Amino acid sequence: MDCVRASAPQLQGLVPYDPKYLPAEAMLSANENPRDVEDSIREEIAREVAAVALNRYPDPLANDLRDLIAEANGLTREQVLIGNGGDELLFNIALAWGGAGRRMLNLPPTFSVYAANARLTGTEVVNIPRLEDFSIDEDAVLERLGAGDIDIVVITSPNNPTGECAREEFIQRVLEATDALVLVDEAYFEFARRSVLSYLAEHKNLIVLRTFSKAYSLAGVRMGYVMAHSDVIRELIKVRQPYSVDAVSQAIARVVFANRASFEARIDEIIAERGRVMEALAAIPGVKPYPSDANYILFAVEGADQAWAYLYDRGVLIRDFSSSAMLEGTLRASIGTPEQNDAFLAALEDFVSGK
Ligand code: PMP
């Protein structure tokens, strides 16, 4: 056969997720931690990895890691699920709570993966666009939930790419207003030092997503987790790929989680640098940064696409959202090391001043 029949209809016109990764001296496009895991922890990782039986399948549920995370958060193992990055868990949530005839409430502009997963699973997306300043249209969300036909609500806090946390009082009202599964994506919560995890005790419909990719410097390993009621976790276990979290990644994550206190100083550094970069951006004529509780800053600048190319020529890779819906004219820069942030700011200043 020199032809093949068409793939599933939901794939027609679907554009695969593209992180737009390019090599650069200052990689400030993917909200990673600019610093790799420190050497003493890497040595411990090497010892743990050396002890892994490579010929055996991994523990499907990564129970040792589940126990560590559960204990640290005052939960039981049954309330935690580990995934191959937060991304896998987002897909599992769409599989388990979405599907034909089901609806997801989304708050764009936000992380594009939610809508892509909805499309793949045949879930209808109900969009409540954010307001001009990218805050959530809280009244519109609560009113829409009143109809009682929403199955999943996604609240990203801090929101990617716009930067700010959702208000805790709002999340509480959402949890009370609906029996939909309320996903609070806290991929960046360590940089906000704020979480709604405590609401789990009273709200069976809350699921909190976290990742090792940002604060814990493990984007290369693919490790994320969710915390929810054990009945919710049980449903997610039905749809997950049994061996998606490999034994080597489990070993690495166990060591990093056990050593998480030693990441605090670098999280503090990123938070401090975020303040410095924010001030510097606000001082550049024609540049408008949006407030951020995360490890990145979204900003508007005249000629944003040219600014992106100018920065890239100067060795600074940031993320171009200038032609994305509701984000026209904006770029997003991750907070890097002080040196990388300086390179970014200097290049942007030169672009604006026409040097
Ligand atoms: N949620 C949000 C809001 C994100 O920005 C990301 C990473 N870009 C993820 C989840 C998933 O992260 P990971 O798969 O690396 O754990």
Side-chain angles (χ1 to χ4, degrees), residues 61-62 65-66 69 80-90 92 185-187 190 208-214 216 218-219 221-227 240 244-246 249-250 253 257:
L61 290 170
L65 182 57
R66 268 176 117 191
I69 292 171
V80 178
L81 186 64
I82 313 293
N84 187 292
D87 280 345
E88 183 193 31
L89 295 160
L90 291 175
N92 289 342
D185 184 339
E186 294 190 342
E190 290 91 347
V208 175
L209 182 132
R210 305 258 179 92
T211 179
F212 282 71
S213 298
K214 316 295 177 181
Y216 295 128
L218 285 189
V221 171
R222 313 308 303 127
M223 188 60 69
Y225 59 101
V226 283
M227 295 174 286
R240 72 183 292 273
S244 64
V245 185
D246 67 87
S249 299
Q250 290 185 30
F257 196 77

Side-chain angles (χ1 to χ4, degrees), residues 217-295:
S217 299
L218 285 189
V221 171
R222 313 308 303 127
M223 188 60 69
Y225 59 101
V226 283
M227 295 174 286
H229 191 282
S230 56
D231 288 353
V232 171
I233 299 294
R234 199 172 305 126
E235 295 308 296
L236 295 175
I237 290 174
K238 292 180 186 172
V239 300
R240 72 183 292 273
Q241 297 290 309
Y243 298 116
S244 64
V245 185
D246 67 87
V248 171
S249 299
Q250 290 185 30
I252 296 171
R254 282 197 307 270
V255 174
V256 165
F257 196 77
N259 285 285
R260 65 191 178 284
S262 70
F263 287 76
E264 287 301 311
R266 51 174 68 180
I267 295 171
D268 282 340
E269 181 189 49
I270 289 169
I271 294 172
E273 278 292 296
R274 177 181 73 206
R276 184 177 76 88
V277 173
M278 183 68 75
E279 267 182 37
L281 285 174
I284 303 175
V287 173
K288 183 189 172 204
Y290 289 90
S292 173
D293 299 310
N295 65 336

Side-chain angles (χ1 to χ4, degrees), residues 65-116:
L65 182 57
R66 268 176 117 191
D67 286 345
L68 285 176
I69 292 171
E71 203 195 331
N73 290 287
L75 303 174
T76 62
R77 169 192 289 188
E78 290 73 26
Q79 292 173 283
V80 178
L81 186 64
I82 313 293
N84 187 292
D87 280 345
E88 183 193 31
L89 295 160
L90 291 175
F91 189 59
N92 289 342
I93 291 166
L95 278 176
W97 258 266
R102 316 254 312 178
R103 291 190 187 88
M104 178 187 94
L105 196 143
N106 201 32
L107 307 175
T110 189
F111 191 36
S112 63
V113 167
Y114 315 129

